[in-house]
Amino acid sequence: MRLFPLVLVLLLGTALDAPVARAADYTPDVMEFDGSGGMAFATEPILTLPAGGTLEFWVAADWQDSPGYDPILFANAGSASVAWQVAISADRQSLLVRSGTQEGRFAADFRDGRTHHVGIIAFSDETYVLIDGNLAAAVAMTLQEVPTDALWVGAGYGNTRPFTGAIAGLRVWDVALEPEELVAYALRDITSADAGHPDIDSLVGHSRFGERDFYITDAIVVSDADLGEEAP
């Protein structure tokens, strides 16, 4: 049984508080950005997560003076719509999550230059953000089902509001992960044969930044027509 959102805070006693470089057996794939622009990857409807899900990644924000805008880490979007977008505020003291016309602001301090693990857990009516295993905040917002045609990393759609720093280990899940799972597997290669992640079947996409790529899980949709049956 999955956890109810109200008990999340009871399970977050242990913070990760560790940069990527400390991992002895696994180092997440990393991509660095100098603020000149991001990269666009193919996207699919399976990544929009309208029924809820989890975005998980590592990030280090590497700027001192305000760039005059809130740099965008990721944007799964179309030309006129955003399924989900994640940014860090210009002062590096907030994480900003947008979906459709909704936007949530979560207090988080990225000014230390360290690499932090972030989990954005979206339920049907609320979205929670965990930073290094600790609950940052919860906001009454949901992820919207809207058209998308690209997944931008290191900038917003159309290469807007570029990010400066490092992004690593982006994982997209179509289920709201339990927080202890998020912490336990943050520094493990969940795609290895012996990883044993309990929700591995819900991993719908993950980065391969070492290959400058993003992998989307294959999804086969079987319709009534395919089965030769009449739709009700």
Side-chain angles (χ1 to χ4, degrees):
M1 180 182 296
R2 306 218 62 80
L3 293 172
F4 291 103
L6 290 179
V7 302
L8 280 172
V9 69
L10 302 177
L11 300 171
L12 303 174
T14 303
L16 293 174
D17 195 26
V20 168
R22 287 191 189 176
D25 57 346
Y26 168 65
T27 301
D29 50 304
V30 181
M31 187 177 290
E32 297 185 1
F33 299 90
D34 62 6
S36 61
M39 291 189 65
F41 299 97
T43 190
E44 294 289 344
I46 196 172
L47 296 183
T48 58
L49 312 178
T54 303
L55 306 176
E56 178 187 3
F57 56 92
W58 295 81
V59 63
D62 187 22
W63 67 87
Q64 297 298 322
D65 298 328
S66 170
Y69 58 83
D70 301 325
I72 296 174
L73 306 179
F74 317 108
N76 183 25
S79 60
S81 57
V82 174
W84 44 263
Q85 176 179 284
V86 182
I88 290 178
S89 61
D91 62 7
R92 297 189 294 168
Q93 297 187 65
S94 298
L95 190 78
L96 310 174
V97 181
R98 177 187 169 194
S99 182
T101 59
Q102 304 178 50
E103 184 170 80
R105 179 179 290 267
F106 304 82
D109 194 345
F110 296 101
R111 293 173 297 174
D112 58 8
R114 299 181 65 185
T115 306
H116 296 276
H117 182 252
V118 179
I120 301 170
I121 306 176
F123 291 89
S124 60
D125 56 353
E126 288 186 297
T127 296
Y128 287 68
V129 166
L130 280 66
I131 308 291
D132 297 329
N134 295 308
L135 182 65
V139 171
M141 66 172 291
T142 58
L143 299 183
Q144 306 296 299
E145 186 171 14
V146 296
T148 64
D149 57 49
L151 171 63
W152 280 85
V153 178
Y157 187 88
N159 217 18
T160 57
R161 291 160 53 188
F163 170 78
T164 302
I167 300 172
L170 172 60
R171 300 168 179 173
V172 182
W173 308 80
D174 67 0
V175 67
L177 293 181
E178 296 179 359
E180 72 269 26
E181 289 177 10
L182 197 71
V183 172
Y185 289 89
L187 283 172
R188 294 173 64 177
D189 182 2
I190 56 172
T191 62
S192 66
D194 59 350
H197 195 291
D199 285 310
I200 191 61
D201 290 341
S202 296
L203 182 69
V204 294
H206 65 89
S207 58
R208 290 176 172 172
F209 290 152
E211 303 168 17
R212 300 179 71 80
D213 199 3
F214 186 86
Y215 176 76
I216 300 175
T217 302
D218 292 333
I220 300 175
V221 178
V222 179
S223 68
D224 292 328
D226 295 327
L227 296 175
E229 299 176 0
E230 244 184 306

